Amino acid sequence: MANLLVLQSVWGLDKCPGFDIENDLDAALERVVAAGFDGVGVNIARVARTAGVARVMNPRGLAWEGQVLVHHADQLAAYIEEAHRLGAHHLNVQVAGPVAYLSDALALVDSLIPLAEAAPLPVWFETHRGRLTNDLLFTLRLLEARPDLPLTGDLSHYPVAGEMELPLRADQLAAIETILKRCRNFHGRVSTTHQVQVAMRAPQHAGWLDQHIAWWRRGFEYWLAQAGSDDALTFMCELGPPPYAITAPDGRELTDRWEEAQDMRDIVRGIWREVNGAP
């Protein structure tokens, strides 16, 4: 039966009280494992940190996501080789951009897709601000031309980049639906019209929490409709440190990011049980 793997971002532990990923990464990772996460995600460009992740996760058979930013095909080829060598579960790719012209975007994507298709591990392309997929309408044009592009859906970026307001318009909902149909992997945080990461349980953000939950549920349904019996869907809780996390005038974060990550993990597993019919 297909299953869900919920990961914790290593970046999401940076400056998080109780964690010291710079000086005691192993202890931080052990705490993530003890909390019941199925693995972590790490930026492969951080060589020492990635080696630490592989050292802790691989012997346990736990999954870890390699994350990279690529500007051209040679970079992606090298990262694929490194991720496979180190034992990554999959590779998550942010493609540099944005670019002004669709023809330029297609040329870049067309140089990357053959490498992804031939890779010895899954390779997915993330929806992200400040990257090739910065603009939702531009991304829709890209997907219209390359409908088989496999995505990592980080939907938190689009409400901010497009200054979306609740209730969302029908065309906005349809646009996100198009994204969800291509998602093979998810990154999670709750965003709003003006902030990319807000306190999930704050009452003023309840509508946006509900919207993101609805998107994740729909994405899981689409994924299950095409998944094989032995496939695994990965979802990474990616609550970032300041300035992603909003801070008070004294510089302290408004919420406990670690508690929120565990809350998100439980929400996501609950959604999975609902859509997968699991007990």
Side-chain angles (χ1 to χ4, degrees):
M1 176 179 288
N3 68 310
L4 172 74
L5 301 176
V6 184
L7 312 182
Q8 166 62 32
S9 167
V10 174
W11 169 69
L13 301 175
D14 190 19
K15 302 181 181 70
C16 193
F19 293 89
D20 185 356
I21 62 174
E22 295 298 331
N23 299 301
D24 198 354
L25 177 62
D26 283 21
L29 296 175
E30 292 287 355
R31 189 173 177 189
V32 170
V33 172
F37 285 89
D38 301 303
V40 297
V42 64
N43 183 347
I44 286 183
R46 292 183 172 269
V47 177
R49 187 176 293 179
T50 303
V53 164
R55 182 178 62 249
V56 173
M57 297 294 151
N58 290 354
R60 292 173 166 83
L62 297 176
W64 61 273
E65 172 184 281
Q67 302 155 352
V68 296
L69 169 65
V70 302
H71 296 78
H72 51 76
D74 288 346
Q75 274 187 320
L76 180 58
Y79 280 133
I80 288 173
E81 181 179 353
E82 183 70 355
H84 180 58
R85 182 184 72 82
L86 292 170
H89 179 272
H90 61 270
L91 189 63
N92 178 73
V93 180
Q94 293 181 12
V95 183
V99 299
Y101 300 106
L102 181 63
S103 58
D104 293 336
L106 291 175
L108 180 52
V109 165
D110 286 344
S111 72
L112 302 177
I113 288 178
L115 295 170
E117 292 177 341
L121 75 171
V123 178
W124 300 310
F125 298 91
E126 185 178 356
T127 61
H128 203 289
R129 289 173 303 149
R131 304 292 188 244
L132 196 70
T133 53
N134 176 74
D135 178 77
L136 179 56
L137 297 182
F138 187 90
T139 303
L140 293 182
R141 294 174 63 200
L142 181 63
L143 292 176
E144 184 178 15
R146 300 294 182 269
D148 294 329
L149 186 68
L151 300 179
T152 290
D154 187 337
L155 304 176
S156 66
H157 295 287
Y158 287 132
V160 183
E163 204 165 317
M164 296 179 177
E165 295 183 351
L166 294 176
L168 298 182
R169 302 190 309 266
D171 63 302
Q172 293 171 326
L173 291 169
I176 297 296
E177 193 89 355
T178 299
I179 300 293
L180 290 171
K181 291 176 181 177
R182 274 80 172 181
C183 288
R184 301 295 176 262
N185 178 39
F186 290 90
H187 286 183
R189 69 177 68 86
V190 173
S191 65
T192 67
T193 308
H194 301 292
Q195 287 88 31
V196 74
Q197 180 176 306
V198 296
M200 287 199 317
R201 294 295 187 179
Q204 65 269 33
H205 303 315
W208 277 111
L209 174 60
D210 290 345
Q211 182 61 72
H212 282 275
I213 287 174
W215 281 335
W216 297 335
R217 179 182 290 109
R218 190 63 168 151
F220 290 8
E221 290 171 344
Y222 279 127
W223 185 89
L224 277 167
Q226 55 78 46
S229 59
D230 296 326
D231 289 345
L233 173 64
T234 51
F235 183 108
M236 188 168 72
C237 302
E238 198 183 27
L239 302 176
Y244 254 70
I246 299 172
T247 55
D250 62 3
R252 287 186 296 179
E253 296 180 45
L254 302 183
T255 61
D256 185 320
R257 197 164 9 111
W258 174 235
E259 286 190 0
E260 282 198 311
Q262 294 174 90
D263 187 13
M264 179 178 290
R265 175 203 62 201
D266 295 343
I267 288 172
V268 167
R269 285 178 174 163
I271 297 170
W272 178 258
R273 288 192 295 270
E274 292 173 10
V275 301
N276 197 33

